[in-house]
Amino acid sequence: MSKADCAVLICNLDPADDHAIQQTADLLRAGFAGSGSPDWEDAQDALAEVRESLEPGRISRVARTADGTVTGWIAGAPLYDGQVWELHPLVVAVERRGEGIGRALVADFEKQVHQRGGGTIFLGTDDENQRTSLGGIDLYPNPLESLASLRNLGGHPFEFYRKVGFCVVGVIPDANGYGKPDILMTKRVATRPGQSG
């Protein structure tokens, strides 16, 4: 368990704690409302996503206040034999955004990945409602040209991930339908060969 600077404790989501699991599912639904994504609009889908994160070999961490309220959640699963971990999803209570909870959850996730021998974290951050310069346009025949001039037009989360050290490494055009791309980002968490510490 680690204590974040934002007055929350970060710990594993306990598979036996039905109350915390339900809080996390409710947080997921509320946190992604208005994102343009239909994911997790249904309470059962959100609950299934949280329960899936508790499967063996995965990471599922929550930020909790002293009274046990879940204020943030981050989860992930290994890829490429554990060398790469996909961060999916990250959510912070709407009323607690801007307090450093998301940053603390990402830092904790990086430690968890590193402890498991992972070297890279990968994530996809969708633009389903034209909040970036990539949304609503045809990225073909040259998606990388548009990606090179990527701009945030309306509070898209890719900017947050950049601030915590992630790099944009690609885009999947039309991942969620025409003009709704998935922006791919990664971050190295392992020490480069020949580098100490």
Side-chain angles (χ1 to χ4, degrees):
M1 187 180 304
S2 64
K3 184 165 183 177
D5 293 337
C6 42
V8 294
L9 295 175
I10 298 176
C11 58
N12 287 326
L13 179 57
D14 183 350
D17 189 341
D18 290 335
H19 182 63
I21 290 169
Q22 186 61 58
Q23 282 188 76
T24 304
D26 293 343
L27 181 74
L28 182 62
R29 288 183 67 214
F32 278 84
S35 69
S37 172
D39 292 341
W40 312 310
E41 288 177 351
D42 179 80
Q44 292 305 314
D45 289 345
L47 191 57
E49 181 74 26
V50 175
R51 291 199 183 282
E52 184 179 326
S53 78
L54 297 169
E55 292 175 0
R58 293 181 174 226
I59 296 171
S60 188
R61 307 274 286 170
V62 288
R64 298 180 87 163
T65 59
D67 68 1
T69 303
V70 175
T71 59
W73 176 52
I74 194 167
L79 304 169
Y80 300 97
D81 294 325
Q83 179 58 35
V84 175
W85 281 74
E86 181 180 16
L87 187 166
H88 176 79
L90 167 64
V91 63
V92 172
V94 175
E95 67 277 7
R96 299 294 304 267
R97 291 181 182 169
E99 296 179 20
I101 295 171
R103 184 178 292 272
L105 282 165
V106 171
D108 179 80
F109 187 80
E110 291 173 13
K111 290 177 190 169
Q112 299 297 318
V113 167
H114 186 68
Q115 289 171 1
R116 289 164 173 80
T120 300
I121 298 173
F122 158 82
L123 64 89
T125 181
D126 299 313
D127 183 1
E128 298 186 65
N129 54 0
Q130 301 180 24
R131 291 190 290 160
T132 74
S133 56
L134 303 181
I137 64 172
D138 188 354
L139 295 176
Y140 290 106
N142 190 352
L144 296 181
E145 183 178 339
S146 296
L147 187 63
S149 59
L150 173 62
R151 291 183 332 278
N152 196 338
L153 304 178
H156 191 275
F158 91 86
E159 200 68 52
F160 164 78
Y161 288 113
R162 273 187 171 166
K163 288 177 183 175
V164 295
F166 283 78
C167 301
V168 175
V169 294
V171 63
I172 302 175
D174 306 333
N176 303 285
Y178 176 80
K180 298 178 178 181
D182 193 3
I183 301 163
L184 308 178
M185 304 183 77
T186 62
K187 181 176 182 178
R188 177 186 288 141
V189 294
T191 305
R192 290 191 321 241
Q195 185 182 28
S196 62

